[in-house]
Amino acid sequence: MGQTLAEKVWAAHVVHAAQGEPDLLYIDLHLVHEVTSPQAFDGLRQTGRPVRRPDLTLATEDHNVPTLGIDLLIADPVSRTQVDTLRANCAEFGVRLFPMGNAEQGIVHVVGPQLGLTQPGMTIVCGDSHTSTHGAFGALAFGIGTSEVEHVLATQTLPLKPFRTMAITVEGALAPGVTAKDIILAVIAKIGTGGGQGYVLEYRGEAIRALSMEGRMTICNMSIEAGARAGMIAPDETTFGYIAGRDHAPSGALWDEAVAYWSSLVTDDDAVFDAEVVIDAAALTPFVTWGTNPGQGLPLSASVPDPEAIGDDNERINAERALEYMGLEAGTLLRDIRVDTVFLGSCTNGRIEDLRAAADILRGRHIDPNLRMLVVPGSMRVKVQAEAEGLDTIFTDAGAEWRSAGCSMCLGMNPDQLSPGERSASTSNRNFEGRQGKGGRTHLVSPLVAAATAVRGTLSSPADLEPVGALTSAGPAR
Amino acid sequence: MDAFHTHTGVGIPLRRSNVDTDQIIPAVYLKRITRTGFEDGLFAAWRSDPTFVLNQPAFSSGSVLVAGPDFGTGSSREHAVWALLDYGIRVVISSRFADIFRGNSSKGGLLAAEVTQDDVELLWKLLENEPGASVTVDLEQQTIAARSLVIGFKIDPYTRWRLLEGWDDISLTLRHADEISEFEIGRPAFAPTTR
């Protein structure tokens, strides 16, 4: 019987296997950030262990960093301590670090791919659940806890239990205005936040093949929101084209050797998945969440669901609690939900294509004066690129704020937060209670929906907007 | 890591499903650089609610948490396990655990005991009818006992062995240091480094 992509990558990294024990897997790349690493480095110090492979380890500052005034000291003493601790640890253990202000600094899952460090067939880990992002290249990439961070630092391996495989086949072509974010929100709504548990998901099918690398990263990024261990997409010409010429990409004869190997990283025709899900791309429309987990999502054209209509007791109670927290009433059209803040950024949607897509909508338009919009590039490279293309001017002309790179409002760990009761349309990945700040209410959306929502003030897609030529100086019609 | 054989403590009925790690400990508590002292962040948002189960005197010193399905979903933060342990929780019982949380639990010495949802319901009823009732979890026998109720729980044999022995992960792996070095010699030349 043939092997799936995930099984091939796994098999190529087994250092030690024994009956009844987890396999010991070699880790090709370990990404580190300030939040989940201090205790791991501390553990090494206490046991007198070195970092085994500092040359396969890379650190960046992202979760805690402010996105304004990055040349100043971090005001919050606790955040500053974490960042300072990372700097001291990287210096002590010889780990390369991209600190705040460095041209390469950014969100860990934006930095790896843009440097060409993320390559097909690799095993990649980081103390962050959105490490699944790197699976877009055909790497087996997953989040780990701090003890595992210490384990990888000390041994460059991880003991891992086998996973099951699930094929998510997205057939057909997406309609205009429907994006990778809408695909993954629809997938999670379909299989649930626990539906991927124990599985590595492989996204396949025509709609996936047609996506750019950045779209594929958006999809793999949110695999964890379906409970999956990882998400993967088989590498192809799109993948090779993205990697070629990047800083850490192989070149010359090594490039040919690499491409020959990478090309073998596809699921064999006779391989069998443990589960399969099929999605019809043509039937997808812009998707948004209404509740407090990423599985509580619906097409933008729908209404807030009625918990009474949900048969399963747990699901119903969850929905009731979510509506109460979100301050929503059943039956309200999702398009009528007014937001206070629009956040464009994060490891899910903070890449250059995301910013371009939103800027295309905002060009010549102005955001609703009753809301604020934060545009936060995923890395300093993305920031520089966007500024070279004039996107920053489009955003600021439209009334949005243009920031420096970081995790920003994706999570309540830095100054960019929602206030209690404040409602956001956010291109990030989690709408959990308090995720964007205590009491904050989050609707997960695509960059296109974020931009259109910023213009209309209520959850909207670009199709809801008046053409730019029809605008008066008073702003768009409602 | 302390070995785990049996534990007896007050059972805490947490009637919630999908308890994600942001609920177990919000991100704001993750800024610390120490490895202890996370108990004040445990369920921080819910603890401002006086009716929350841990705010009830009968349950506040409990150590066996009984929760709904999909416990520990979301962020991979191990602080969730530390917060539970620091508070004094030694066992979490649920019908389904998120993978990363389950892995983190075994590394920290927290027992994640998987039972059926029907058994969770039985435990919830028992603990709500008799607040303060103690629960005994026996890892050798893989049983949970409370009053007259005795149920089995699932745990994979490897995790069970490790918890019983109190093995530290890195020591286990370093027994294979030679194999790691051998593997490294065979890695492809095109594999990138961060230098």
Side-chain angles (χ1 to χ4, degrees), chain B residues 10-14 53-54 59 61-67 87 89 124 127:
Chain B
V10 169
I12 309 163
L14 181 66
V53 63
L54 286 185
F59 300 116
S61 62
S63 57
V64 179
L65 188 69
V66 185
Y87 184 88
I89 308 285
W124 277 345
L127 296 172

Side-chain angles (χ1 to χ4, degrees), chain B residues 87-99:
Chain B
Y87 184 88
I89 308 285
R90 291 300 314 275
V91 183
V92 180
I93 298 168
S94 170
S95 58
R96 199 158 57 184
F97 291 96
D99 288 336

Side-chain angles (χ1 to χ4, degrees), chain B residues 8 63 75 79 86 89 96-97 99 113 134 143 146 166-167 184 192-193:
Chain B
T8 300
S63 57
S75 149
H79 308 67
D86 289 350
I89 308 285
R96 199 158 57 184
F97 291 96
D99 288 336
S134 66
T143 56
W167 268 107
E184 284 175 326
T193 75

Side-chain angles (χ1 to χ4, degrees), chain A residues 34-265:
Chain A
E34 76 276 13
V35 179
T36 49
S37 67
Q39 291 92 349
F41 282 112
D42 220 27
L44 294 184
R45 234 182 326 261
Q46 282 168 18
T47 48
R49 293 173 174 137
V51 173
R52 181 182 177 92
R53 294 296 299 266
D55 61 328
L56 302 181
T57 312
L58 181 70
T60 180
E61 299 168 0
D62 56 8
H63 284 59
N64 276 277
V65 304
T67 57
L68 281 177
I70 60 163
D71 49 336
L72 306 173
L73 275 179
I74 298 177
D76 173 32
V78 190
S79 290
R80 192 163 71 231
T81 303
Q82 272 200 347
V83 167
D84 287 347
T85 304
L86 179 67
R87 290 175 189 180
N89 284 332
C90 286
E92 180 182 343
F93 289 93
V95 171
R96 189 171 180 201
L97 167 70
F98 297 141
M100 219 165 59
N102 186 293
E104 298 298 348
Q105 178 267 339
I107 307 174
V108 65
H109 310 309
V110 179
V111 169
Q114 79 186 3
L115 284 172
L117 278 170
T118 301
Q119 296 175 13
M122 290 173 70
T123 46
I124 301 177
V125 297
C126 174
D128 186 284
S129 52
H130 293 113
T131 308
S132 56
T133 310
H134 306 266
F137 292 79
L140 182 61
F142 48 90
I144 55 178
T146 298
S147 294
E148 291 172 307
V149 171
E150 183 182 340
H151 195 281
V152 177
L153 287 172
T155 70
Q156 204 58 35
T157 64
L158 266 186
L160 291 165
K161 288 172 206 143
F163 51 82
R164 288 171 293 170
T165 55
M166 183 188 294
I168 309 253
T169 306
V170 189
E171 306 274 17
L174 292 173
V178 184
T179 66
K181 185 65 165 282
D182 303 306
I183 294 179
I184 190 62
L185 286 174
V187 167
I188 300 164
K190 183 172 173 122
I191 71 175
T193 53
Q197 223 134 80
Y199 289 98
V200 171
L201 312 183
E202 184 183 331
Y203 303 97
R204 305 150 61 81
E206 185 190 340
I208 300 295
R209 294 262 75 84
L211 290 173
S212 69
M213 284 316 295
E214 300 203 350
R216 295 178 187 186
M217 282 189 255
T218 299
I219 290 196
C220 288
N221 172 276
M222 288 189 71
S223 302
I224 182 67
E225 310 310 335
R229 180 129 194 108
M232 298 178 86
I233 295 173
D236 57 14
E237 290 303 323
T238 304
T239 320
F240 309 150
Y242 180 96
I243 297 170
R246 290 186 184 264
D247 302 53
H248 293 270
S251 56
L254 283 181
W255 171 260
D256 297 335
E257 197 186 315
V259 169
Y261 172 60
W262 297 344
S263 301
S264 74
L265 298 173

Side-chain angles (χ1 to χ4, degrees), chain B:
Chain B
M1 197 170 92
D2 294 336
F4 189 116
H5 293 279
T6 64
H7 172 79
T8 300
V10 169
I12 309 163
L14 181 66
R15 268 198 188 264
R16 297 196 185 227
S17 58
N18 237 305
V19 175
D20 58 70
T21 52
D22 274 76
Q23 307 312 323
I24 298 173
I25 185 163
V28 68
Y29 289 91
L30 273 53
K31 294 178 175 179
R32 296 178 182 166
I33 56 163
T34 56
R35 203 151 183 166
T36 53
F38 289 94
E39 62 276 9
D40 54 339
L42 181 68
F43 301 125
W46 297 339
R47 274 161 82 184
S48 54
D49 170 3
T51 66
F52 180 59
V53 63
L54 286 185
N55 291 330
Q56 299 171 32
F59 300 116
S60 62
S61 62
S63 57
V64 179
L65 188 69
V66 185
D70 293 320
F71 189 88
T73 54
S75 149
S76 58
R77 64 191 65 159
E78 202 161 354
H79 308 67
V81 170
W82 301 341
L84 288 160
L85 286 169
D86 289 350
Y87 184 88
I89 308 285
R90 291 300 314 275
V91 183
V92 180
I93 298 168
S94 170
S95 58
R96 199 158 57 184
F97 291 96
D99 288 336
I100 297 177
F101 179 86
R102 190 202 302 271
N104 289 342
S105 294
S106 71
K107 289 168 213 314
L110 176 74
L111 173 58
E114 188 181 318
V115 301
T116 65
Q117 186 56 29
D118 287 346
D119 284 343
V120 168
E121 301 280 350
L122 287 176
L123 282 165
W124 277 345
K125 279 194 195 116
L126 187 150
L127 296 172
E128 284 164 356
N129 290 337
E130 296 184 56
S134 66
V135 178
T136 296
V137 181
D138 185 330
L139 181 57
E140 304 258 14
Q141 304 297 323
Q142 287 185 230
T143 56
I144 297 166
R147 297 290 189 258
S148 60
L149 180 70
V150 180
I151 56 179
F153 67 86
K154 280 207 295 189
I155 185 167
D156 71 273
Y158 182 74
T159 302
R160 177 173 170 274
W161 168 71
R162 289 203 38 198
L163 285 168
L164 287 171
E165 299 291 327
W167 268 107
D168 151 273
D169 243 353
I170 296 178
S171 324
L172 277 174
T173 293
L174 288 177
R175 297 180 304 168
H176 306 297
D178 291 349
E179 287 165 272
I180 299 173
S181 300
E182 217 169 285
F183 183 93
E184 284 175 326
I185 295 168
R187 293 181 73 231
F190 57 76
T193 75
T194 58
R195 298 296 151 173

Side-chain angles (χ1 to χ4, degrees), chain A residues 127-420:
Chain A
D128 186 284
S129 52
H130 293 113
T131 308
S132 56
T133 310
H134 306 266
F137 292 79
L140 182 61
F142 48 90
I144 55 178
T146 298
S147 294
E148 291 172 307
V149 171
E150 183 182 340
H151 195 281
V152 177
L153 287 172
T155 70
Q156 204 58 35
T157 64
L158 266 186
L160 291 165
K161 288 172 206 143
F163 51 82
R164 288 171 293 170
T165 55
M166 183 188 294
I168 309 253
T169 306
V170 189
E171 306 274 17
L174 292 173
V178 184
T179 66
K181 185 65 165 282
D182 303 306
I183 294 179
I184 190 62
L185 286 174
V187 167
I188 300 164
K190 183 172 173 122
I191 71 175
T193 53
Q197 223 134 80
Y199 289 98
V200 171
L201 312 183
E202 184 183 331
Y203 303 97
R204 305 150 61 81
E206 185 190 340
I208 300 295
R209 294 262 75 84
L211 290 173
S212 69
M213 284 316 295
E214 300 203 350
R216 295 178 187 186
M217 282 189 255
T218 299
I219 290 196
C220 288
N221 172 276
M222 288 189 71
S223 302
I224 182 67
E225 310 310 335
R229 180 129 194 108
M232 298 178 86
I233 295 173
D236 57 14
E237 290 303 323
T238 304
T239 320
F240 309 150
Y242 180 96
I243 297 170
R246 290 186 184 264
D247 302 53
H248 293 270
S251 56
L254 283 181
W255 171 260
D256 297 335
E257 197 186 315
V259 169
Y261 172 60
W262 297 344
S263 301
S264 74
L265 298 173
V266 291
T267 291
D268 295 328
D269 289 339
D270 56 343
V272 177
F273 289 94
D274 297 305
E276 290 197 60
V277 171
V278 178
I279 304 260
D280 176 12
L284 294 178
T285 57
F287 220 84
V288 301
T289 62
W290 52 267
T292 53
N293 75 54
Q296 292 175 321
L298 282 170
L300 176 62
S301 54
S303 303
V304 175
D306 183 358
E308 292 301 313
I310 299 174
D312 180 85
D313 282 355
N314 272 318
E315 287 296 312
R316 184 174 61 251
I317 292 166
N318 262 353
E320 282 167 356
R321 206 189 297 280
L323 292 195
E324 189 188 334
Y325 180 84
M326 293 295 287
L328 292 174
E329 285 188 21
T332 306
L333 282 174
L334 294 172
R335 272 201 170 81
D336 287 345
I337 296 174
R338 185 159 290 280
V339 308
D340 307 300
T341 292
V342 173
F343 170 58
L344 174 61
S346 84
C347 59
T348 312
N349 282 126
R351 297 184 177 80
I352 190 70
E353 288 177 14
D354 300 312
L355 302 191
R356 283 179 192 146
D360 274 347
I361 304 303
L362 290 175
R363 186 179 285 111
R365 292 189 165 104
H366 202 278
I367 66 169
D368 183 295
N370 296 314
L371 58 74
R372 62 171 170 156
M373 179 177 188
L374 265 67
V375 184
V376 186
S379 71
M380 291 309 276
R381 267 205 201 189
V382 171
K383 185 177 195 215
V384 168
Q385 172 78 30
E387 288 174 355
E389 296 178 18
L391 305 185
D392 57 323
T393 315
I394 295 173
F395 290 123
T396 51
D397 284 354
E401 298 176 40
W402 177 244
R403 300 293 189 88
S404 289
C407 294
S408 184
M409 201 179 266
C410 178
L411 83 177
M413 287 196 77
N414 56 67
D416 303 341
Q417 300 201 20
L418 295 180
S419 313

Side-chain angles (χ1 to χ4, degrees), chain A residues 426-450:
Chain A
S426 176
T427 65
S428 54
N429 40 56
R430 289 193 173 137
N431 51 343
F432 297 156
E433 293 181 17
R435 170 77 178 185
Q436 294 192 289
K438 198 175 176 192
R441 294 163 169 169
T442 304
H443 297 275
L444 299 177
V445 301
S446 73
L448 289 178
V449 169

